[in-house]
Amino acid sequence: MAAVQWHSRVRRYVAEKQSCGLEVASVEFGDYHPLKSITVTDSKSRRGARKGSTSSSSSSSSSVAMDPLSCMMDGTDPLSMFAAASASEPHLTLPHSISSGDLANGKRKEKEDEVAVDFEPWSSKRGEILARFTTTEKLSINLFMGSDKGKAPCPGSSAVSEKVRTRLEELDDLEEGSQRELLNLSQQDYVNRIEELNQSLKEAWASDQKVKALKIVIQCSKLLSDTDVIQFYPSKFVLITDILDTFGTGCVADEVNDTAKETCLNWFFKIASIRELIPRLGIQKTLPRLTAMIRGIGDPLVAVYARAYLCRIGMEVAPHLKDSLNQNFFDLLETFRQIHGDSVQNQLVLQRVEIPVYLTLYSPAIHWILQCVSYRAPESLLTEMMERCKNLGNNALLLNSVMWAFRAEFIATRATDFIGMIKDCDEAGFPKHLLFGSLGRSLACADPPEAERLPILNEAWKVITKVRSSQDYINCAEIWVEFTCRHFTKREVNTVLSDIIKHMTPDRAFEEAYPQLQSVIRKILTYFHDFSVLFSMERFLPFMDMFQKDSVRVEVCRSIMEVFIKHQHEPTRDPVILNALLHVCKTMHDSVNALTLDDDKRSLALLINGFIRMVSFGRDFEQQLSFCVEARATFCNLEPVLVQLIHTVNQLAMETRRVMRGSHSRKTAAFVRACAAYSFITIPSLTSIFSRLNLYLLSGQVALANQCLSQADAFLKAAVSLLPEVPRSVSIEGKMRSSEGFLLDFINNFLSTLLVVPDHPEAGVLYLVRGLLNMVQDYTWEDNSDAKVQVYVSALPLLAAMSQETYLYCIPKVDSNETLYGGDPKFVAEINKLCETLIGQVLDHLKILGRDESVRRQSSLAFSLFGCLLAHGDLRNNKLNQLAVNLWNLSHKHGYCDTQTSVRTLEFIKHLAQQPNMLHISDMVQRLILQSRT
């Protein structure tokens, strides 16, 4: 160690910077340019030349850049090869009877007839129906697989061949006498049994038991005539038609080959004789026939769902047959007289079901039929439908479905007419507020004429505000809030909010309507992005007070903050906005407890930080600091928010110095010291040790930049004293990881700052550097770690920079050590002595690594120290020069040094040796051995 003598290389930073600059070379016009096209000469033989061609090779010059993929295949890509191959084959010609124009028209017609993605499929309605139509009554399933022997033969059966008759008898005899009757089933049991039947159908079909599969379908279809528990019927229809769908997809035309035609014919003969199943032959004639057949179903509820199923299948197989769809709807209108007949009324009395409840059972089927009818229908069809509804006495159920089904644009242009029809409807059968709800959904998507908007809103709200049931009221009011926000000002919206508060506050009715109330908030936020307007609504904050369930309240606050951060592009100091959003953010913050997930904490902190960043009081810096003080007290449980506040205060200190430069210096200094005090008080409350370390360093740098030397000194000493507390592992995203890498990054950043920090007059020379190195020496590093000596190597460039007459960088108006010591020999001697101590520590560690046979680590560390000596040491000193050579050779001794890095380094040294006054480098190059493991 005593043999090591350190002398820093004298640096001329300005000259070095100029020598490292890029050379400027003049480029003549026409010279190479990277964006200029390249001329490629191709003299290779062409492949794939046409048969009979006499030319076997060619030379061409082109200004088009050659495609590298084409080059790999001699200029011919696979698609071109296929195109060339197809070009040599004869073209197919169209028959004379079909022209290309016919084909185009046919394709266009086919495309128009297809059901596109804008048509809502039945599958999207299935879950809603099952969830809506439920029952607590007991259900039953009766399946009879009995024999049909002894029955009178069907007319025309003599025309059936003997083979067909035999086949039918086999079908009848299968599982003769089999009967299953399941009684007293709960709704869930019923659903489970139906699913079991569906699965049995699949298994029977897959195991080639086609007759058994057919019998299951027949018996399940018969269940559709059972309306004993009438309020469950829509759900029963969904479950049973799932089985029909399974059967319908089982047999397709592609599966029928020539040898099975006769058997297939038998099947269709049998299926055609079954009333419960739908024939699938001759669709253009079958759909009208089946439409007419449904007229014979006596129960109007069963009939309407049969029509819905027929329309559904019709849309799948022949959506272009609009006449059949329309006829189903017109037939539906005729059956409405049956609802008031004795048969239906007696059934409702027997099951104790009220008419309004009974009518809602029709809604899914009628909605679906009208959706099929109205799909891509002209506006004139809506006019016809409205006239038919009037002729029926403005039947409310049908009118409601019409408003649901037709395009919103069509409904909006006739909104006033619909309001007139709604007024004429009978309130007893179907409540008018439901009709206004359906109208409001359309008007939320399309705009009525401007002159009609206010009268429409007034007419609607006259009905809505009189609804007695709080749940019915909020269901309808929530829909019309969007129309109000879309077309009117905060005055009208405030009136609507006031009415909602009036209806939902008594008996705490709001507790049962949180989803609807949340929807109201979302719709308001969709249309009001100016928060000064939003919070100036007198009833907005009282409306928010109805959200008294903590989880819901926090979600509402989240939605408000998300909209604010997304749409607030300019900083604000509006007291109305600040007070309201502080209240909103405090609500989110106060929801945090010991059970809150880390992800939820992070998301809440991001929203609050977004708010903090948008608060600006301009040049009123004291008011800005006061806001940060209040925010610190309000959000003390969210560490990322406290970190953001410290960053905000540091930025405020820098901005203050920039704006107030040259004026009110005493007042500015006092304010900066107040900012430093804020940070110094807040940082210890953070739990993350690396957050504390980095913020101590950042705050020290800010204080130093503002000439607050005592505050900077306090921050830096606090950081150094905190180092022993750094744990060996830290939790990152739920996983424990070594803290060594983070600690090294921090120390390197800290070292770069110490260059401009002046020594304290009452402390020793380089007291902060020595304090840091002492902490590093005493820290308990990981076993088999080189981190400590890596810090020592990193400290050498800092000490070399400190020994220069002029420092690499400085802080304006801050006298660093270059001014305080002025290159004093004693100061430089102290630096050299410290460097020699550090180098000695590194060399001792290298010896230990050699004894432990850790040659790879030894190689890496030796090369790092060599690079440091080359860059910062005065290699004219023979002992230092020899040490550098020894380190190079040691790093290459076992071949673990990266060859490419070594070669580039050696080239640089050789280039350096050619410079003036570099004889010592020339001598050193001769002694450097380049060695690799290969």
Side-chain angles (χ1 to χ4, degrees):
M1 288 177 57
V4 178
Q5 294 183 359
W6 173 266
H7 296 280
S8 300
R9 180 167 66 89
V10 178
R11 307 290 296 272
R12 299 290 184 263
Y13 294 118
V14 176
E16 288 182 25
K17 182 178 179 181
Q18 292 176 348
S19 65
C20 293
L22 296 176
E23 295 183 4
V24 179
S26 60
V27 179
E28 297 294 335
F29 180 77
D31 285 355
Y32 167 78
H33 187 275
L35 298 182
K36 185 179 178 182
S37 58
I38 305 171
T39 301
V40 178
T41 303
D42 184 10
S43 59
K44 292 186 178 181
S45 300
R46 292 184 178 176
R47 299 187 179 181
R50 290 190 177 183
K51 194 173 183 179
S53 175
T54 58
S55 175
S56 61
S57 64
S58 66
S59 178
S60 63
S61 179
S62 171
S63 61
V64 179
M66 180 174 289
D67 182 3
L69 296 180
S70 300
C71 293
M72 295 298 294
M73 297 178 293
D74 297 328
T76 306
D77 64 273
L79 296 180
S80 301
M81 293 169 64
F82 288 131
S86 62
S88 62
E89 296 179 359
H91 293 284
L92 295 175
T93 56
L94 294 174
H96 294 292
S97 58
I98 303 177
S99 66
S100 59
D102 293 334
L103 284 178
N105 292 334
K107 289 182 179 180
R108 190 180 303 112
K109 182 67 167 64
E110 181 182 354
K111 188 173 182 180
E112 291 173 355
D113 291 340
E114 290 177 353
V115 177
V117 292
D118 60 337
F119 184 81
E120 185 179 5
W122 174 260
S123 59
S124 66
K125 301 177 181 296
R126 181 181 181 280
E128 179 186 351
I129 295 174
L130 291 175
R132 179 181 174 190
F133 298 98
T134 59
T135 183
T136 57
E137 297 188 26
K138 297 301 181 181
L139 303 164
S140 63
I141 298 176
N142 190 353
L143 300 177
F144 178 66
M145 302 291 189
S147 172
D148 291 333
K149 286 185 177 180
K151 292 186 178 180
C154 297
S157 62
S158 59
V160 182
S161 67
E162 185 66 25
K163 201 170 188 179
V164 173
R165 187 178 296 108
T166 302
R167 183 61 175 161
L168 297 179
E169 289 175 356
E170 291 176 359
L171 179 61
D172 291 335
D173 289 339
L174 183 68
E175 298 179 10
E176 183 177 346
S178 172
Q179 182 171 359
R180 294 178 64 193
E181 187 172 12
L182 304 175
L183 304 175
N184 297 323
L185 298 176
S186 67
Q187 177 179 317
Q188 187 57 49
D189 291 337
Y190 188 92
V191 172
N192 294 339
R193 296 298 180 272
I194 294 297
E195 179 56 35
E196 290 173 5
L197 286 170
N198 201 352
Q199 188 62 33
S200 298
L201 172 64
K202 295 177 183 178
E203 293 172 356
W205 191 265
S207 60
D208 207 29
Q209 301 181 57
K210 304 297 192 292
V211 175
K212 180 181 178 182
L214 182 57
K215 281 203 166 189
I216 293 174
V217 176
I218 294 171
Q219 295 305 315
C220 288
S221 299
K222 288 182 178 180
L223 296 177
L224 288 175
S225 62
D226 178 14
T227 57
D228 286 346
V229 184
I230 201 165
Q231 63 267 35
F232 183 66
Y233 188 82
S235 293
K236 177 192 286 189
F237 170 80
V238 168
L239 297 170
I240 299 300
T241 52
D242 284 348
I243 295 180
L244 297 181
D245 293 341
T246 300
F247 180 74
T249 57
C251 182
V252 294
D254 293 341
E255 295 179 356
V256 182
N257 54 37
D258 293 337
T259 60
K261 284 184 178 179
E262 188 172 2
T263 305
C264 182
L265 183 62
N266 293 345
W267 269 94
F268 283 116
F269 275 139
K270 180 62 178 178
I271 293 173
S273 66
I274 300 172
R275 295 170 307 187
E276 292 86 356
L277 296 180
I278 299 176
R280 289 157 294 183
L281 297 175
I283 193 68
Q284 285 186 315
K285 296 181 179 179
T286 303
L287 281 177
R289 179 165 64 87
L290 292 173
T291 299
M293 288 171 62
I294 295 176
R295 296 170 186 166
I297 299 178
D299 191 314
L301 185 62
V302 176
V304 72
Y305 278 94
R307 297 188 188 283
Y309 188 74
L310 184 59
C311 290
R312 177 184 155 197
I313 300 301
M315 288 297 290
E316 291 178 3
V317 300
H320 58 285
L321 298 180
K322 303 291 186 184
D323 291 341
S324 176
L325 297 173
N326 294 343
Q327 191 58 52
N328 268 289
F329 179 72
F330 296 147
D331 288 351
L332 168 65
L333 297 182
E334 297 298 326
T335 62
F336 264 93
R337 300 186 186 93
Q338 295 176 263
I339 294 176
H340 301 287
D342 293 339
S343 175
V344 173
Q345 294 298 320
N346 293 337
Q347 186 182 24
L348 297 182
V349 171
L350 184 63
Q351 297 195 35
R352 296 189 298 274
V353 176
E354 300 293 334
I355 278 288
V357 175
Y358 176 69
L359 289 177
T360 60
L361 303 179
Y362 286 81
S363 296
I366 297 177
H367 282 356
W368 176 259
I369 294 172
L370 273 169
Q371 179 182 324
C372 298
V373 169
S374 63
Y375 181 64
R376 293 183 177 175
E379 194 169 357
S380 58
L381 181 61
L382 175 59
T383 304
E384 183 180 356
M385 295 294 181
M386 293 174 67
E387 290 300 322
R388 288 179 179 264
C389 287
K390 289 179 181 178
N391 295 336
L392 281 174
N394 282 342
N395 185 286
L397 179 62
L398 291 175
L399 186 61
N400 185 62
S401 297
V402 167
M403 290 187 290
W404 267 89
F406 279 86
R407 288 175 55 186
E409 294 82 358
F410 296 169
I411 304 297
T413 56
R414 294 169 171 76
T416 302
D417 295 335
F418 275 106
I419 287 178
M421 295 173 67
I422 292 172
K423 286 182 177 180
D424 295 336
C425 286
D426 183 9
E427 181 79 21
F430 201 91
K432 290 184 179 179
H433 71 268
L434 295 180
L435 296 173
F436 272 104
S438 299
L439 178 62
R441 286 187 182 90
S442 296
L443 297 183
C445 303
D447 301 332
E450 187 173 356
E452 300 178 10
R453 293 172 186 172
L454 185 58
I456 289 172
L457 179 62
N458 288 332
E459 291 293 339
W461 213 260
K462 285 179 185 177
V463 175
I464 297 170
T465 194
K466 293 178 182 178
V467 178
R468 294 184 178 180
S469 166
S470 58
Q471 195 63 41
D472 290 339
Y473 167 83
I474 193 59
N475 286 338
C476 195
E478 175 254 325
I479 296 170
W480 279 88
V481 163
E482 184 161 5
F483 178 78
T484 310
C485 295
R486 188 183 179 99
H487 299 296
F488 299 98
T489 64
K490 70 173 186 178
R491 176 176 173 272
E492 289 78 10
V493 176
N494 192 63
T495 302
V496 169
L497 292 179
S498 179
D499 194 65
I500 294 176
I501 294 171
K502 176 182 175 183
H503 279 79
M504 301 308 295
T505 301
D507 300 325
R508 299 179 67 86
F510 54 79
E511 292 181 343
E512 303 298 325
Y514 283 140
Q516 293 86 348
L517 296 175
Q518 284 180 272
S519 177
V520 170
I521 287 286
R522 285 194 296 268
K523 289 174 180 178
I524 293 175
L525 293 174
T526 300
Y527 292 94
F528 287 85
H529 298 155
D530 187 340
F531 277 74
S532 61
V533 173
L534 182 67
F535 290 125
S536 64
M537 295 183 194
E538 295 179 1
R539 310 307 293 167
F540 184 80
L541 292 179
F543 182 88
M544 284 190 60
D545 289 338
M546 289 193 294
F547 297 100
Q548 296 189 8
K549 185 178 179 180
D550 290 342
S551 60
V552 178
R553 191 177 184 88
V554 171
E555 282 302 313
V556 171
C557 293
R558 278 178 183 267
S559 61
I560 292 174
M561 292 309 304
E562 287 169 357
V563 173
F564 175 80
I565 292 170
K566 181 178 180 180
H567 295 283
Q568 186 73 28
H569 302 299
E570 297 294 332
T572 180
R573 60 184 299 173
D574 189 323
V576 174
I577 295 177
L578 297 187
N579 290 334
L581 290 185
L582 268 174
H583 173 71
V584 169
C585 290
K586 186 177 187 302
T587 300
M588 296 193 299
H589 169 270
D590 292 348
S591 69
V592 175
N593 54 47
L595 300 178
T596 305
L597 299 175
D598 289 340
D599 285 345
D600 291 335
K601 290 180 181 178
R602 277 193 291 268
S603 62
L604 291 175
L606 282 173
L607 294 173
I608 297 174
N609 285 343
F611 163 62
I612 292 172
R613 284 192 291 268
M614 294 307 299
V615 176
S616 174
F617 290 88
R619 294 195 175 187
D620 191 346
F621 300 122
E622 293 182 358
Q623 184 67 26
Q624 187 84 34
L625 184 59
S626 298
F627 169 80
C628 291
V629 171
E630 181 182 0
R632 180 179 60 189
T634 304
F635 309 123
C636 58
N637 290 332
L638 286 174
E639 187 161 310
V641 178
L642 296 179
V643 171
Q644 175 63 47
L645 287 169
I646 295 171
H647 281 288
T648 300
V649 169
N650 281 322
Q651 292 171 358
L652 183 62
M654 295 302 294
E655 182 68 11
T656 303
R657 174 63 64 180
R658 184 187 66 83
V659 172
M660 305 300 291
R661 182 180 300 165
S663 60
H664 309 291
S665 57
R666 182 176 300 177
K667 182 179 179 181
T668 303
F671 182 80
V672 172
R673 287 194 293 271
C675 291
Y678 178 98
S679 299
F680 200 79
I681 293 171
T682 309
I683 292 174
S685 64
L686 304 178
T687 59
S688 170
I689 192 163
F690 281 105
S691 293
R692 279 183 279 162
L693 284 172
N694 289 319
L695 287 172
Y696 273 135
L697 178 57
L698 174 65
S699 301
Q701 292 167 341
V702 170
L704 200 61
N706 284 279
Q707 299 100 50
C708 296
L709 300 184
S710 60
Q711 284 76 15
D713 194 64
F715 280 118
L716 297 178
K717 285 197 293 188
V720 172
S721 63
L722 189 60
L723 288 177
E725 300 179 24
V726 175
R728 294 175 65 173
S729 60
V730 291
S731 176
I732 299 176
E733 297 181 355
K735 296 181 180 180
M736 297 304 294
R737 296 184 181 180
S738 171
S739 63
E740 195 172 271
F742 301 101
L743 184 55
L744 288 176
D745 287 342
F746 169 77
I747 291 175
N748 287 332
N749 192 5
F750 194 91
L751 287 171
S752 65
T753 303
L754 292 182
L755 177 64
V756 292
V757 178
D759 282 344
H760 195 282
E762 297 178 2
V765 177
L766 303 177
Y767 80 102
L768 276 177
V769 177
R770 295 180 187 276
L772 175 63
L773 294 175
N774 288 335
M775 289 296 181
V776 171
Q777 175 71 29
D778 297 336
Y779 183 77
T780 305
W781 298 92
E782 292 185 15
D783 298 334
N784 300 320
S785 170
D786 303 322
K788 180 167 65 174
V789 290
Q790 287 175 2
V791 173
Y792 294 161
V793 173
S794 298
L796 291 175
L798 167 67
L799 294 171
M802 282 183 165
S803 66
Q804 304 298 316
E805 292 185 3
T806 303
Y807 283 2
L808 177 60
Y809 47 85
C810 62
I811 295 178
K813 298 183 180 180
V814 173
D815 293 333
S816 54
N817 286 341
E818 65 171 337
T819 304
L820 295 181
Y821 296 108
D824 186 270
K826 292 182 180 180
F827 175 66
V828 175
E830 285 289 332
I831 292 176
N832 292 339
K833 184 178 179 181
L834 184 54
C835 289
E836 292 168 4
T837 302
L838 295 178
I839 293 174
Q841 292 283 336
V842 177
L843 294 178
D844 289 343
H845 188 73
L846 287 173
K847 292 177 183 178
I848 295 173
L849 293 177
R851 288 197 298 268
D852 295 343
E853 297 185 355
S854 301
V855 292
R856 184 186 293 273
R857 291 163 53 197
Q858 185 189 58
S859 172
S860 175
L861 184 58
F863 194 79
S864 296
L865 183 55
F866 168 80
C868 183
L869 295 182
L870 179 66
H872 304 284
D874 186 359
L875 297 183
R876 287 174 295 186
N877 180 279
N878 293 334
K879 291 185 178 181
L880 204 59
N881 191 301
Q882 184 60 46
L883 176 60
V885 173
N886 293 342
L887 289 169
W888 171 277
N889 293 335
L890 178 62
S891 66
H892 290 77
K893 181 178 180 181
H894 299 284
Y896 281 109
C897 218
D898 180 68
T899 304
Q900 191 174 13
T901 303
S902 299
V903 170
R904 287 202 304 265
T905 305
L906 193 57
E907 289 176 351
F908 169 75
I909 297 173
K910 291 178 180 178
H911 173 74
L912 196 63
Q914 296 174 2
Q915 305 301 317
N917 301 320
M918 289 293 176
L919 183 59
H920 58 288
I921 300 295
S922 302
D923 295 339
M924 185 180 74
V925 171
Q926 307 301 322
R927 293 176 288 158
L928 299 181
I929 301 172
L930 186 61
Q931 211 172 22
S932 67
R933 300 190 71 190
T934 57

